[in-house]
Amino acid sequence: MATCAADRLREEVRERYAAAARSVSESSGGCCGNNSCCDGDFGESLYTAEQRGDLPEAAALASLGCGNPVAVAGLREGETVLDLGSGGGIDVILSARRVGPTGIAYGLDMTDEMLALAQRNAAEAGVRNAIFLKGVIEDVPLPAESVDVVISNCVVNLSTDKATVLAELSRVLRPGGRVGISDIVAEDHLSAEDRAERGSYVGCIAGALSRSEYEAGLEAAGFGDVSVEFTNEVADGMHSAIVRAVKPR
Ligand SMILES: C[S@@+](CC[C@H](N)C(=O)[O-])C[C@H]1O[C@@H](n2cnc3c(N)ncnc32)[C@H](O)[C@@H]1O
């Protein structure tokens, strides 16, 4: 994608999610109803009652994801986790609890309003091992081989440079580190135009990779044990999916 078009799209994404964060902060109401986030039946309903019960109300309401990556990541005590595009912080808070006081959960987001909301939610949840970083997922502000698990919830589809995002995952993960991402993924037969007909870019549909593009991208970034599993259809031929991969030792 040409740089100007990519910059414009990223700014549109930032504005959309800043408005979503403000909507949660100001009204304590959800944001999908006014079309401020991903198109589809997303958000807090994707979490178990036990997970939701442990969260501040604003963190649950701010959930804009299309899956439950914490449930698939198999997090262990003491691990370091990175959530790409952490939004209101729901998956960072849940991860911080899973890895316990000897572990760390980082949340990375480019939108100031989301970072402020996430900080408030983590403080209200009483979580001390959550660290929120400002930055873009195409240039992760963490050293190489510093993370055990990368999670993400409905964000990679919003990136205008997905190959660079996947290379960043590989760089920051330790050998043996793993990826557990929820994302929107297209069936292979859908062209870019077909995807754009089914929903907007900022609504998490038009920018989605196909299953084979995701698999090939992860393999090109050096990952093994790659899998992309469709979980439910959100538009004709477009699915919420669980994406897994492992960085070889
Ligand atoms: C659909 S929301 C998902 C938020 C969160 N993962 C959740 O499940 O509620 C997308 C989030 O990703 C952030 N985001 C989108 N593109 C990004 C990028 N290139 N770099 C960093 N953050 C990004 C947005 O600011 C927003 O908070």
Side-chain angles (χ1 to χ4, degrees):
M1 193 179 294
T3 316
C4 276
D7 287 350
R8 255 198 320 271
L9 213 40
R10 182 184 280 171
E11 203 37 49
E12 222 182 291
V13 169
R14 192 197 308 273
E15 281 167 16
R16 176 67 68 105
Y17 290 97
R22 280 195 297 272
S23 152
V24 172
S25 303
E26 287 160 13
S27 67
S28 278
C31 56
C32 285
N34 63 12
N35 201 25
S36 300
C37 47
C38 293
D39 304 330
D41 184 16
F42 301 151
E44 60 172 318
S45 62
L46 299 163
Y47 293 84
T48 64
E50 191 190 347
Q51 285 176 320
R52 286 198 305 253
D54 275 351
L55 289 166
E57 195 190 356
L61 286 173
S63 168
L64 305 178
C66 49
N68 185 345
V70 180
V72 300
L75 300 179
R76 297 188 280 267
E77 194 84 25
E79 286 190 317
T80 300
V81 186
L82 167 64
D83 181 17
L84 298 181
S86 43
I90 185 167
D91 294 313
V92 176
I93 294 169
L94 293 170
S95 297
R97 292 205 171 121
R98 279 286 175 92
V99 300
T102 57
I104 300 177
Y106 288 105
L108 172 63
D109 208 287
M110 66 177 182
T111 305
D112 288 324
E113 290 82 348
M114 278 297 184
L115 287 164
L117 178 62
Q119 299 274 17
R120 284 199 302 277
N121 287 336
E124 197 184 319
V127 159
R128 290 165 182 266
N129 55 335
I131 299 174
F132 292 96
L133 305 169
K134 182 170 180 179
V136 292
I137 62 174
E138 296 81 1
D139 185 13
V140 177
L142 286 173
E145 302 192 357
S146 58
V147 168
D148 298 299
V149 185
V150 175
I151 62 169
S152 184
N153 200 346
C154 231
V155 179
V156 175
N157 69 78
L158 293 169
S159 171
T160 52
D161 186 355
K162 295 169 178 71
T164 300
V165 173
L166 300 181
E168 279 294 85
L169 300 194
S170 174
R171 182 186 68 79
V172 297
L173 277 170
R174 299 190 172 108
R178 53 203 196 279
V179 172
I181 287 178
S182 296
D183 206 0
I184 301 298
V185 180
E187 291 175 16
D188 286 337
H189 64 91
L190 295 184
S191 66
E193 292 73 28
D194 294 334
R195 297 172 216 177
E197 273 172 15
R198 283 156 175 75
S200 68
Y201 197 96
V202 294
C204 299
I205 301 287
L209 293 171
S210 72
R211 190 204 299 253
S212 58
E213 287 166 349
Y214 229 127
E215 289 168 349
L218 284 162
E219 281 159 13
F223 286 99
D225 294 334
V226 171
S227 70
V228 177
E229 182 193 333
F230 291 159
T231 53
N232 64 297
E233 196 169 38
V234 297
D236 184 20
M238 311 281 305
H239 300 260
S240 287
I242 298 167
V243 178
R244 293 186 176 89
V246 177
K247 179 170 170 174
R249 287 183 189 279

